[in-house]
Amino acid sequence: MIRLDTGRLDRIVAVGAHCDDIAIGAGGTLLTLCNARPGIRVDALVLSGGGSEREQEEQAALAAFCPGADLRLTVHKLPDGRLPAHWEEAKSAVEELRERTDPDLVLAPRTDDAHQDHRGLAQLIPTAFRDHLVLAYEIVKWDGDLGRPTAYQPLSPEIAEQKVRLLQEHYPSQRHRPWYDREAFLGLARIRGIECHERYAEAFAVTKLVLNLGD
């Protein structure tokens, strides 16, 4: 197991197709980073849920997942499950985000995610963030699309438990879903922890990584 240090992170971008995607896929990583870097800037973009109770949930949730951060959240109103039909709007939202920030790290969905909204957003990220480290998070769901990740962020037991608690606390609209429970979230974190010799972890896909081994 090789461990790489990204160096100091001052700006993060986190994007999701739906309210709760970012928290499910990378909530533990956000907690870890924000606790370690007070004042870190987090630009978050969500493509759907604007103007609804889902946006209110997302605002409260990301504030909790990014303690002490300079959080800037934008939630758009694209219809759930229809991103391919609203490609231009989604692309414009991502490009507008890029104009506002030059991040050290981008957290985004995976290009091989089975959900068309997740997959569509993932395909847009490299067109706007061409020279950035992009960690593509995973979201457990009934499709059974979990793969073999290439990067891991270990989570302390406290952070793993906090992530699960915040997910349950801040997204009441999702509690009826059969996969939205403590066992699913903590179980996946435990499996990913096993894979990187830790108790818990979040896992990511990395499409392209440039090394600087000479310094």
Side-chain angles (χ1 to χ4, degrees):
M1 181 66 64
I2 300 174
R3 296 177 182 265
L4 298 177
D5 188 347
T6 62
R8 183 174 178 83
L9 300 177
D10 295 314
R11 293 177 176 233
I12 302 172
V13 157
V15 298
H18 316 101
C19 298
D20 78 13
D21 285 355
I22 296 170
I24 292 174
T29 297
L30 284 174
L31 284 167
T32 301
L33 284 170
C34 292
N35 285 331
R37 303 276 195 277
I40 189 171
R41 175 168 165 175
V42 179
D43 287 273
L45 170 68
V46 179
L47 293 182
S48 64
S52 71
E53 68 170 357
R54 298 280 277 138
E55 180 176 4
Q56 297 174 12
E57 288 180 345
E58 188 75 341
Q59 289 174 339
L62 289 190
F65 275 102
C66 302
D70 177 9
L71 174 64
R72 308 180 188 194
L73 170 64
T74 302
V75 182
H76 286 270
K77 298 181 179 181
L78 272 65
D80 189 353
R82 298 291 186 270
L83 188 149
H86 295 265
W87 188 258
E88 288 300 324
E89 295 170 70
K91 183 175 178 63
S92 294
V94 172
E95 290 175 346
E96 289 169 5
L97 173 64
R98 175 65 182 93
E99 291 174 0
R100 297 197 302 268
T101 185
D102 185 21
D104 304 305
L105 170 66
V106 179
L107 300 170
R110 296 159 37 229
T111 55
D112 57 350
D113 192 295
H115 194 297
Q116 67 270 19
D117 291 355
H118 301 170
R119 188 170 62 251
L121 175 56
Q123 292 168 350
L124 285 170
I125 294 304
T127 68
F129 297 93
R130 293 181 177 273
D131 299 307
H132 300 79
L133 174 60
V134 179
L135 297 182
Y137 56 73
E138 56 185 354
I139 297 178
V140 63
K141 50 190 174 298
W142 73 271
D143 304 82
D145 63 352
L146 298 179
R148 298 185 64 181
T150 52
Y152 298 85
Q153 170 58 50
L155 305 179
S156 69
E158 294 77 17
I159 290 292
E161 291 284 355
Q162 185 180 7
K163 173 184 175 178
V164 173
R165 178 177 58 79
L166 291 177
L167 286 172
Q168 292 292 338
E169 177 181 339
H170 287 289
Y171 297 104
S173 67
Q174 304 304 297
R175 292 175 188 157
H176 68 283
R177 299 185 182 278
W179 54 267
Y180 196 93
D181 60 30
R182 170 185 168 82
E183 289 179 299
F185 298 132
L186 206 58
L188 180 59
R190 180 69 187 107
I191 290 171
R192 297 316 190 196
I194 290 171
E195 293 173 351
C196 66
H197 297 162
E198 298 285 347
R199 183 65 185 174
Y200 298 107
E202 285 178 338
F204 303 89
V206 179
T207 303
K208 188 179 292 187
L209 180 66
V210 178
L211 300 176
N212 183 7
L213 302 179
D215 291 342

